[in-house]
Amino acid sequence: MPVEAGNAAAINGTLGSTIQKILADLKPEAAYFTEDGGERTGWVFFDMKNSSELPAIAEPWFLAFNAKVTIRPAMTPQDLADGMPGMQHAVKTYSK
């Protein structure tokens, strides 16, 4: 989140409580907080089953903190196994 927005929330006492409220709604598998590029940063791991969930996931961070949000899909070992037919199809179709 931008330093200014984070500082304002820290000064008015809402930084921690707002983050906790967003996380309570999201119910992540894990959440870690650090700095990245000089800004407060959170790495939040959650199960997004459908892309239509994106507004409910991103908007709280945008609205509360003017934050940038990046979503990176990741797979569990089972997801990777389930995706193997697609990989094998791509190998057959596109490899040289």
Side-chain angles (χ1 to χ4, degrees):
M1 70 185 70
V3 173
E4 296 81 12
N7 286 352
I11 290 167
N12 72 26
T14 61
L15 179 67
S17 61
T18 303
I19 289 172
Q20 289 300 323
K21 182 173 171 54
I22 293 170
L23 294 178
D25 289 341
L26 185 56
K27 298 174 183 62
E29 297 172 25
Y32 302 94
F33 298 91
T34 186
E35 83 59 55
D36 185 27
E39 295 185 332
R40 291 173 178 93
T41 301
W43 294 91
V44 182
F45 299 86
F46 56 90
D47 187 13
M48 185 169 76
K49 300 205 183 298
N50 191 302
S51 59
S52 65
E53 297 173 54
L54 187 54
I57 292 164
E59 290 298 330
W61 301 102
F62 294 149
L63 295 167
F65 301 114
N66 196 32
K68 293 184 231 173
V69 174
T70 302
I71 305 292
R72 290 192 176 109
M75 294 184 284
T76 65
Q78 184 59 54
D79 294 333
L80 181 59
D82 293 346
M84 290 307 294
M87 182 187 293
Q88 292 165 347
H89 174 74
V91 167
K92 284 182 183 176
T93 305
Y94 298 103
S95 65
K96 295 181 180 185

